[in-house]
Amino acid sequence: MSNVFYMPPVTLMGPNAIQSLGAELASKELKKALIVTDGVLVEVGLVSKLTDELTAHGIDYAIYDGVQPNPTEKNIEDGLTLLAQSNADFVISFGGGSSHDTAKGIALVAANGGHIRDYSKGVHLSKKPQLPLVTVNTTAGTASEMTVFAIITNQEDETKYPVVDKHFTPIIAVNDSELMVAMPKFLTATTGMDALTHAVEAYVSTAATPITDAAAIKAIELIINNLEAVVNNGQDREARDAMQYGEYLAGMAFSNASLGYVHSMAHQLGGVYDLSHGLCNAILLAEVSRFNAQQVPERFVDIAKAMGIDTAAMTQEQAVNAALEAIDALSEKVGTKQRLTDLGVTEDKLAFMAQNALNDACSLTNPRKASLEEIVNIFKARM
């Protein structure tokens, strides 16, 4: 079986990388951007880093700043309306995964028509490339700035669903660690745990390849060695830079190997309870990994080694348990080891969420198949 690997043709990375964006855009003769972001990033002045760069290179723009933390179908529809009104010829997302996912939806539907939900009933369903998309990333977690995934919320039926489409790949991605320095402590923690989840799930995925394995293992190393430091000191430039490379490598891995039950279950928590996606992943990661380790223990031994655990004198079972304990220990250190009940989750919704999790596209590549009852029990273990 052949494999296909997707990633942006150009990525600008490192401190002040955004200062190279204008010249890249000018060379492509793009005239007017629809900037997709949220109101907070506009209010604190961070978006001006982008608009100043565009203005300096003669590129006009309009701003849609209505993105919600769990982006909705309405966010995409509202963005499409402004796109048409402004006559923009390309889209720039500025922010974290919510901005990127909304922008992907806008760009894809603008070129292909219909509704974003139309592209969620399979993978790579669009017929035409999306409107040119540029992603400027301000968090080190989702990797949505470079992946073929977008996660959208249907508020009418309390579901969150992934859209997987090769045309989501942006023409330029920007990971400027200076844009991440002001990221709040808890957001740093939740996005970092999200990135770790991407790497772990991609490494144990049934669609993993040697390329995705290499990216996932290096991502785990970088995240384990830098997340606690950057949570404790957001001004730690070296750790910030390492985390942006870690989350990007994790994105390379899962964009091509896909994910598993952690994400399919977290999507349901986000859809029903409007919870932080990264926090949900952090809560579920060790428990789902415990379930999966019964199928692929050797993979979790590799993960233990990547986490810096000396497994030489350990049995396979001891090494697996050490990896699971290290995941929970990191989550506790950065403040994301919480109980679902403390976040308002109730048992009466568990079966509904479990069924939707099994129907979620991310479940397809989980290494061990679960029953509805087993998914419910994983939720219960973290209640």
Side-chain angles (χ1 to χ4, degrees), residues 108 116-126 148-150 161-166 168 359-362 364:
L108 194 78
I116 187 60
R117 210 179 306 156
D118 300 336
Y119 304 95
S120 68
K121 308 303 182 184
V123 297
H124 309 311
L125 295 181
S126 67
V148 297
F149 281 74
Y161 57 86
V163 182
V164 185
D165 200 293
K166 62 186 177 184
F168 275 156
N359 294 335
D360 188 295
C362 291
L364 295 174

Side-chain angles (χ1 to χ4, degrees), residues 261 264-266 268 352-363 375 379:
Y261 288 153
S264 61
M265 294 171 70
Q268 311 322 312
F352 170 75
M353 292 192 296
Q355 186 58 65
N356 285 333
L358 289 172
N359 294 335
D360 188 295
C362 291
S363 290
I375 296 294
F379 276 129

Side-chain angles (χ1 to χ4, degrees), residues 292-333:
N292 286 335
Q294 296 179 52
Q295 183 71 29
V296 286
E298 71 285 353
R299 291 252 135 184
F300 284 94
V301 174
D302 292 343
I303 289 168
K305 293 174 182 176
M307 298 179 83
I309 298 166
D310 184 358
T311 63
M314 292 182 180
T315 65
Q316 184 180 73
E317 182 180 4
Q318 288 171 332
V320 169
N321 287 334
L324 303 182
E325 290 167 5
I327 290 170
D328 263 345
L330 178 63
S331 185
E332 185 165 20
K333 287 175 183 175

